[in-house]
Amino acid sequence: MDKNTIIGFVLIALVLFGFAWWQQPSAEQLEQQRKEFVQDSIAAVKKAQSLKAAAEKHEAQKAAVVADSTALFHAALNGVAQDIMLKNNKVELTLNTKGGVVTKAVIKNYIGHNVAVKDGSKDQKDVTLFAGDDQSLNFMLAAKDVNIESKDLYFVPSNQTDSTVTLTANAGQGKSLVLNYTLGKDYMLHMSLQAVGMSGLFSPGYNQLDVNWQEKCRQQERGYTFENRYATLTYKENEGSTDYLNETSDKEETTEEALDWVAFKNQFFSAVIISKDNFAQGAKLRSTPLQKESRYLKQYEANLKTSFDPSGNKASEFEFYFGPNDFRLLQSVEKQSRFGKDLDMQRLVYLGWPLFRIINRWFTIYVFDWLSKVFPMGVVLILITLLLKLITYPMVKKSYMSSAKMRVLKPKLDAATKQYDKPEDQMQKQQAMMQMYAEYGVSPLSGCLPMLIQMPIWIAMFNFVPNAIQLRGQNFLWMEDLSTYDPIFEWGHNLWLIGDHISLTCILFCAANLLYSWFTMQQQKDQMVGQQADQMKMMQWMMFLMPLFFFFIFNDYSSGLNFYYFISLFFSAAIMWTLRKTTDDKKLLAILEARRAENKKNPKKMSGLAARMQALQQMQQQQQQELHKKQEELNKRKKGQ
């Protein structure tokens, strides 16, 4: 560092120190700043003390309100919980004075399975729908200064009989909350909630009661996976039909319409809450699947609002249904209701989409009810199958005879179309075949349409049998319970696709399906011509794989459903075999030849679907010819260039 640099730093330092000395305040200014600081500090302290005093005053006022409210509800906030039972020949309901709601529901005369025990050695004679913490129901009122929740109140019982009880939560000073319960002759429980002398506690215009209802839905059947498919949170719109939350995923929904009722549904039993004045739109519903190991199916929750009269002139009325999902019984429940509504509660028994529901509603249920009065349930399934086969036999025979006609005409079709073996001649081949079909009076589609008519019956039974509570606990042959699977092998853990068992009726169903598929393929193979026969060879592998595919689907399904499909397919295969053995191909061909000769004398135009197909084929052929001409012209131009 040279001398000039050092001199520069010294001068800068002198300038800075000089500026700092010149800017420092005088003694008088320092004293004034000290006084201002002290005054500001005192003001800040006073302000903090004032804020603290205001906060303390607010807390004191709040504590006074709470103290007043506590004093007001002192009698109801303290007490000893005790159980009260309402019962009849169908149900036993336990109410607890803490909260004043049903805490246990036992449905009589239905076997209560101990799902933890595989052999059923510890089954109970009755079904416990819920007990203890499985279900909770809370009525909430928002007063001016405090929220009143029924779950925190102790109620005093009075007017108690086997079917009635009055529960009163005393708030003091002539104020109380009163719950009146009346149990009907079956499964319907009527309840009213009324505020007495409490109108001054609520804001003007307050007119709604909040309801929070929750339940852990118990596993009642041994087939957890199968039962879980039919356990749903279901609800009925006031101006519409019923709907339900997705049964396989965690689903939350806010309703856009007012509701008549909400149901926490198992496969065969339900807990339902019904409001006389409807549950307001905006109800929040949630269904959450639970793990198999928990022995529970789903966690249900419903947050609802309904009308409430603070003056006490009108009670908020509810009805509860704790009982089986029996179609006829649920129809009668509507007649027992005091509300005069179209509850449509039989929709808790799911019968399928509209077409399939019509079949089940107006045919299957009536036949099932009639037969079940005389025969055991396994025999009922066999008789229903035979009845359906009898009804559909004319269509099946028509389908078979159409296929048989095409089978006996196959050699003639092969001879008439052998010149059209090239791929580009397939359209002409089809036209030639259609022409021969017309000459012999045969429709290639008549064999398919009647068979399709039977499909709705199959699907209808697919929806009916799993929901028929009459099958629950009923044994037949080797099947101990027609409402669940019938294992021949079981192991302690789940395997991918199979589960923890192999069902015998599922094996029989798949075997019958394989047999029926073989008969069907033989029938179709005998009538295929040209490329159709080659395509059939590829299709047969898919037909043989379908029974294996069905095994992985139906292994968890009920033995009753698998048994029905086994019997149905077995008889279908037997009918096809019998028709094949009793059909004389020579006589049939002679009849067709006679018809052809008659048609030549009196030629008739094609009509219906056959005519439309021929017209379509001709149009396609014409388009191909035009395209071929254009391609040839284009090739000539290219060669000329």
Side-chain angles (χ1 to χ4, degrees):
M1 185 179 295
D2 58 12
K3 181 173 68 173
N4 292 332
T5 302
I6 295 173
I7 294 172
F9 278 120
V10 171
L11 290 175
I12 291 172
L14 290 174
V15 170
L16 291 174
F17 281 114
F19 181 78
W21 176 82
W22 181 68
Q23 287 291 330
Q24 68 179 356
S26 63
E28 292 80 5
Q29 289 175 326
L30 289 173
E31 180 63 22
Q32 182 64 28
Q33 289 177 358
R34 186 185 67 78
K35 289 179 180 180
E36 290 176 355
F37 175 76
V38 171
Q39 290 175 354
D40 290 343
S41 298
I42 293 172
V45 171
K46 288 182 178 180
K47 184 177 180 180
Q49 290 175 343
S50 176
L51 291 173
K52 182 179 179 181
E56 289 176 350
K57 182 178 180 181
H58 176 74
E59 289 295 326
Q61 291 174 344
K62 183 178 178 181
V65 170
V66 174
D68 290 341
S69 299
T70 303
L72 182 66
F73 289 95
H74 177 73
L77 291 172
N78 296 279
V80 178
Q82 59 176 318
D83 289 333
I84 298 170
M85 183 176 291
L86 303 180
K87 60 182 179 179
N88 55 27
N89 294 329
K90 304 294 181 63
V91 67
E92 289 183 357
L93 304 177
T94 302
L95 290 81
N96 194 280
T97 55
K98 174 70 182 296
V101 295
V102 178
T103 57
K104 183 178 181 180
V106 176
I107 302 171
K108 298 180 180 180
N109 306 318
Y110 289 91
I111 297 173
H113 296 307
N114 185 347
V115 295
V117 180
K118 294 289 185 181
D119 60 5
S121 58
K122 295 185 179 180
D123 284 351
Q124 305 297 317
K125 65 177 182 178
D126 300 319
V127 169
T128 300
L129 187 59
F130 60 85
D133 296 333
D134 291 349
Q135 187 178 114
S136 66
L137 177 62
N138 187 27
F139 298 100
M140 296 169 285
L141 298 169
K144 294 177 182 178
D145 301 315
V146 67
N147 291 328
I148 304 169
E149 299 189 28
S150 62
K151 67 181 180 65
D152 297 328
L153 304 179
Y154 288 84
F155 291 79
V156 178
S158 60
N159 304 323
Q160 183 179 352
T161 68
D162 282 347
S163 60
T164 62
V165 67
T166 298
L167 299 176
T168 305
N170 294 308
Q173 302 176 9
K175 298 177 176 62
S176 61
L177 195 65
V178 181
L179 307 178
N180 279 298
Y181 286 96
T182 303
L183 179 62
K185 64 179 182 179
D186 289 326
Y187 303 93
M188 186 72 82
L189 176 69
H190 184 272
M191 171 201 170
S192 66
L193 182 151
Q194 190 170 16
V196 178
M198 296 174 62
S199 58
L201 298 177
F202 301 95
S203 302
Y206 182 79
N207 61 0
Q208 279 196 325
L209 166 72
D210 288 272
V211 182
N212 177 262
W213 190 30
Q214 299 183 44
E215 181 184 325
K216 288 174 67 178
C217 180
R218 282 190 176 192
Q219 179 187 349
Q220 300 288 355
E221 315 305 323
R222 294 200 176 92
Y224 171 87
T225 304
F226 186 63
E227 182 186 8
N228 209 21
R229 292 188 182 101
Y230 299 93
T232 59
L233 191 158
T234 307
Y235 57 91
K236 163 70 166 57
E237 294 178 351
N238 179 247
E239 298 294 336
S241 61
T242 57
D243 203 351
Y244 60 91
L245 302 189
N246 187 288
E247 66 273 19
T248 59
S249 62
D250 188 342
K251 181 68 175 179
E252 185 172 359
E253 186 171 313
T254 301
T255 63
E256 297 179 355
E257 303 291 337
L259 305 180
D260 281 334
W261 50 260
V262 176
F264 293 164
K265 177 181 175 292
N266 292 65
Q267 182 180 2
F268 293 120
F269 304 96
S270 290
V272 186
I273 183 171
I274 309 163
S275 174
K276 180 178 182 179
D277 298 313
N278 307 330
F279 294 113
Q281 65 181 45
K284 297 184 182 300
L285 310 174
R286 183 166 187 174
S287 174
T288 305
L290 301 177
Q291 295 296 321
K292 180 178 180 180
E293 294 74 18
S294 68
R295 307 297 179 187
Y296 290 93
L297 303 174
K298 294 180 175 72
Q299 173 72 47
Y300 294 136
E301 182 174 4
N303 289 294
L304 313 164
K305 292 180 183 293
T306 191
S307 64
F308 172 72
D309 182 8
S311 69
N313 295 326
K314 179 184 177 183
S316 299
E317 294 188 65
F318 304 89
E319 285 175 334
F320 297 88
Y321 175 82
F322 303 109
N325 300 329
D326 185 312
F327 189 89
R328 297 299 186 198
L329 176 63
L330 289 166
Q331 282 184 315
S332 68
V333 164
E334 191 166 311
K335 299 176 183 178
Q336 300 176 26
S337 173
R338 300 181 183 181
F339 298 162
K341 289 185 173 185
D342 182 14
L343 295 176
D344 211 17
M345 285 180 60
Q346 66 271 17
R347 287 298 188 101
L348 288 171
V349 181
Y350 183 69
L351 298 178
W353 292 351
L355 174 61
F356 314 127
R357 178 176 177 80
I358 290 171
I359 295 172
N360 285 326
R361 173 67 180 84
W362 300 107
F363 173 79
T364 310
I365 289 178
Y366 281 98
V367 175
F368 191 84
D369 289 344
W370 177 60
L371 292 175
S372 60
K373 293 177 182 177
V374 182
F375 302 101
M377 289 302 161
V379 177
V380 169
L381 291 175
I382 295 174
L383 293 177
I384 287 180
T385 306
L386 292 175
L387 180 60
L388 291 173
K389 292 300 175 187
L390 181 63
I391 293 173
T392 58
Y393 177 76
M395 293 180 290
V396 172
K397 184 176 181 181
K398 183 178 179 181
S399 173
Y400 175 81
M401 293 308 297
S402 176
S403 299
K405 291 173 184 178
M406 296 177 67
R407 181 180 70 245
V408 298
L409 288 176
K410 182 185 175 183
K412 294 182 176 294
L413 289 171
D414 288 336
T417 60
K418 62 181 180 180
Q419 67 269 30
Y420 304 118
D421 288 338
K422 296 179 181 180
E424 60 269 20
D425 296 335
Q426 291 305 306
M427 187 64 66
Q428 291 175 297
K429 185 174 185 176
Q430 289 294 328
Q431 287 180 345
M433 291 171 60
M434 293 300 297
Q435 182 62 38
M436 287 197 67
Y437 288 146
E439 291 175 1
Y440 283 98
V442 175
S443 173
L445 296 179
S446 61
C448 303
L449 295 179
M451 295 301 293
L452 293 177
I453 297 175
Q454 297 183 80
M455 290 304 297
I457 297 175
W458 267 59
I459 299 174
M461 293 299 291
F462 177 83
N463 288 294
F464 174 78
V465 173
N467 290 289
I469 194 172
Q470 293 84 350
L471 297 176
R472 187 178 185 272
Q474 298 296 313
N475 57 14
F476 183 68
L477 299 177
W478 68 89
M479 295 166 281
E480 296 181 359
D481 187 344
L482 290 169
S483 68
T484 187
Y485 57 81
D486 56 322
I488 53 172
F489 297 109
E490 289 187 276
W491 45 89
H493 59 281
N494 284 329
L495 295 179
W496 184 61
L497 293 178
I498 298 179
D500 58 1
H501 68 276
I502 293 178
S503 173
L504 177 57
T505 51
C506 182
I507 294 175
L508 293 175
F509 158 49
C510 293
N513 195 1
L514 189 65
L515 178 64
Y516 178 74
S517 298
W518 184 82
F519 274 114
T520 302
M521 284 188 294
Q522 289 298 117
Q523 181 176 323
Q524 293 175 350
K525 183 180 178 181
D526 291 341
Q527 66 190 45
M528 295 298 178
V529 179
Q531 286 188 341
Q532 292 178 339
D534 297 332
Q535 293 173 356
M536 188 60 195
K537 293 178 181 179
M538 299 176 62
M539 287 293 295
Q540 67 181 1
W541 291 106
M542 294 181 63
M543 297 286 286
F544 281 127
L545 287 175
M546 284 301 291
L548 180 62
F549 177 71
F550 281 140
F551 171 78
F552 295 111
I553 295 177
F554 283 85
N555 190 45
D556 273 326
Y557 276 65
S558 67
S559 57
L561 183 63
N562 281 323
F563 182 70
Y564 164 76
Y565 281 149
F566 161 64
I567 295 296
S568 180
L569 286 167
F570 176 80
F571 279 115
S572 294
I575 289 171
M576 291 180 65
W577 181 84
T578 303
L579 288 172
R580 181 64 184 266
K581 289 295 182 180
T582 56
T583 301
D584 190 327
D585 289 358
K586 292 182 179 180
K587 289 183 178 180
L588 182 59
L589 182 59
I591 293 172
L592 292 175
E593 292 290 357
R595 183 182 299 173
R596 184 188 188 192
E598 182 66 24
N599 288 338
K600 284 185 176 181
K601 293 179 182 179
N602 302 294
K604 296 180 182 179
K605 273 186 154 188
M606 278 191 186
S607 61
L609 184 60
R612 289 193 292 271
M613 287 184 64
Q614 186 181 39
L616 179 63
Q617 289 175 352
Q618 290 175 348
M619 183 179 67
Q620 290 176 341
Q621 183 181 12
Q622 185 177 358
Q623 290 175 348
Q624 287 183 353
Q625 289 175 349
E626 290 177 356
L627 183 63
H628 183 66
K629 288 180 180 179
K630 290 181 180 180
Q631 187 65 39
E632 287 182 346
E633 291 177 359
L634 183 62
N635 292 336
K636 288 179 179 179
R637 289 176 185 175
K638 289 182 178 179
K639 289 180 179 179
Q641 292 176 356

